[in-house]
Amino acid sequence: MSDIFEGLRAAFWLIFTLDADLIEISLRSLYVTTSAVLIASFIGLPLGCWLALRRFRYRRTVIAILNALMGLPPVVVGLIVYLLLSRSGPFGVFGLLFTPTAMIIAQVIILTPLIASIAHQAIRDLWAEYHDLLISLNTSRFQRMGTLLWDGRRALLTASLAGFGRGIGEVGAIMIVGGNIDHVTRVLTTAIALETGKGDFALALGLGFVLIFLAIVVNLAIHRVSGTEVRGRW
């Protein structure tokens, strides 16, 4: 229990004093995760909508594979991205390994199946409700997708928030492709792993509490801006 209270004290002290390293690491964590979520949402939301509307051969197989990819082991994703971006890899010429860009790429691969799968479930239910109306209006496929994406935006926001929740706590792939380099690629999760390895459990707990606090604040802010769960919309 003493370690927990010491971690709380360390967290409040770091926040109260606006510790420069904490601010830098926190901003980098938010930058990497937010960038990855935006890119993954840009890919995953239309993909999930398209799978809900489109009928084609082996569609069930594609959906099953997409659902299976939700459980991608992050360390395996990190290893694959590492091999692709290393000097001997096909994209090594770009020099992206051990940079925030490499971390974003790894997170996009991890988050896209999750966001697409949740979006598919939400849009499938919405399509069952809107099917007859949109067909009777003789709308095009793109018009149907646009309508469903807009009307289902709150459910789709939940998909993106789920992606953010997973991304902000990611450590395996981030550690492999980022290298946990101080002032370059160190984020909250890798800093926690480092401090735990050094035996500084109080600081590790403090950083952990800061990580939880950031995740809660970002989720509350998005819900506030989007107007979800307001009175009369329960």
Side-chain angles (χ1 to χ4, degrees):
M1 288 297 293
S2 61
D3 284 338
I4 295 177
F5 288 122
E6 186 64 23
L8 282 170
R9 187 196 65 79
F12 283 121
W13 179 252
L14 289 171
I15 296 173
F16 179 75
T17 58
L18 295 177
D19 182 78
D21 288 337
L22 175 65
I23 298 299
E24 178 190 352
I25 292 173
S26 300
L27 290 177
R28 188 177 298 114
S29 296
L30 288 174
Y31 166 72
V32 170
T33 303
T34 303
S35 300
V37 169
L38 290 175
I39 297 172
S41 297
F42 183 78
I43 299 171
L45 296 181
L47 175 60
C49 185
W50 182 78
L51 286 174
L53 271 66
R54 182 69 171 167
R55 297 294 184 270
F56 57 90
R57 194 177 184 183
Y58 302 123
R59 173 175 173 270
R60 293 178 182 272
T61 303
V62 172
I63 294 174
I65 293 174
L66 181 65
N67 291 333
L69 290 177
M70 292 174 62
L72 271 175
V75 290
V76 176
V77 174
L79 176 60
I80 294 173
V81 175
Y82 180 93
L83 294 175
L84 291 174
L85 299 182
S86 64
R87 290 182 179 273
S88 58
F91 304 107
V93 66
F94 297 108
L96 297 176
L97 195 61
F98 302 135
T99 66
T101 302
M103 299 159 69
I104 293 172
I105 292 173
Q107 283 206 2
V108 167
I109 296 174
I110 295 171
L111 300 182
T112 298
L114 173 65
I115 294 175
S117 182
I118 297 176
H120 168 257
Q121 297 293 331
I123 296 298
R124 185 183 63 179
D125 296 338
L126 199 61
W127 175 235
E129 180 182 349
Y130 281 34
H131 178 273
D132 293 340
L133 174 62
L134 293 177
I135 292 296
S136 65
L137 294 174
N138 196 29
T139 54
S140 66
R141 184 175 294 115
F142 289 107
Q143 288 175 323
R144 296 169 191 171
M145 288 182 61
T147 299
L148 294 174
L149 287 172
W150 175 252
D151 283 5
R153 60 190 180 277
R154 291 189 175 86
L156 299 179
L157 175 64
T158 302
S160 296
L161 288 176
F164 181 87
R166 181 173 182 183
I168 196 68
E170 175 53 41
V171 61
I174 294 299
M175 186 78 78
I176 293 175
V177 302
N180 195 23
I181 303 172
D182 196 16
H183 302 299
V184 180
T185 59
R186 182 164 297 168
V187 293
L188 283 169
T189 50
T190 56
I192 291 170
L194 176 65
E195 297 302 329
T196 301
K198 291 164 56 179
D200 194 345
F201 299 112
L203 182 55
L205 278 170
L207 292 170
F209 289 131
V210 172
L211 179 64
I212 294 172
F213 174 76
L214 281 178
I216 293 174
V217 167
V218 170
N219 278 266
L220 289 177
I222 293 176
H223 277 298
R224 179 69 175 177
V225 171
S226 63
T228 57
E229 303 299 345
V230 297
R231 181 178 299 178
R233 196 179 286 157
W234 291 91

